[in-house]
Amino acid sequence: MSREAVQAAVATAGSNVTYGGAGASVASWLLSSEFGVLAGLLLGLAGFLVNLYFKRQENQRQQVRARREEKEHQARMRKLERVTSPGSLDSREADE
């Protein structure tokens, strides 16, 4: 399994923990259990922090990928300009 797949799975688990913590807080509040409310809030916070961490990682990967793709695009454009410029060898051969 790739690193990105593992990180996506952990981020999904973090979301599930957040929802579980929120649900536990509501259920405990309805049952008047102070410990349950506190535990649910802590679980929700933990899930939120895990989710936040992995979203930042994903954003960083996307930025790196975008920069790399932009560099590749610029390199292809420079190569095309050299090939299609009026003084290039290929265009002179086409004229003959």
Side-chain angles (χ1 to χ4, degrees):
M1 192 182 289
S2 73
R3 183 177 182 186
E4 289 180 3
V6 170
Q7 289 183 346
V10 172
T12 301
S15 292
N16 292 338
V17 168
T18 302
Y19 296 134
S25 293
V26 170
S28 296
W29 177 73
L30 291 173
L31 297 172
S32 298
S33 171
E34 292 175 10
F35 175 75
V37 171
L38 181 60
L41 289 174
L42 291 176
L43 277 175
L45 180 62
F48 173 75
L49 292 175
V50 167
N51 214 6
L52 182 66
Y53 174 77
F54 283 103
K55 286 295 180 182
R56 284 193 63 195
Q57 294 293 323
E58 181 181 350
N59 288 341
Q60 288 174 351
R61 280 193 311 271
Q62 288 176 348
Q63 289 174 351
V64 168
R65 186 179 302 127
R67 282 193 298 266
R68 183 181 62 237
E69 288 173 356
E70 179 63 26
K71 285 181 182 179
E72 290 172 0
H73 173 73
Q74 294 299 328
R76 283 193 300 270
M77 291 295 106
R78 284 192 301 274
K79 184 176 180 180
L80 281 173
E81 286 173 1
R82 284 194 307 263
V83 170
T84 59
S85 66
S88 72
L89 183 61
D90 294 336
S91 65
R92 278 188 261 145
E93 289 177 354
D95 292 337
E96 293 176 359

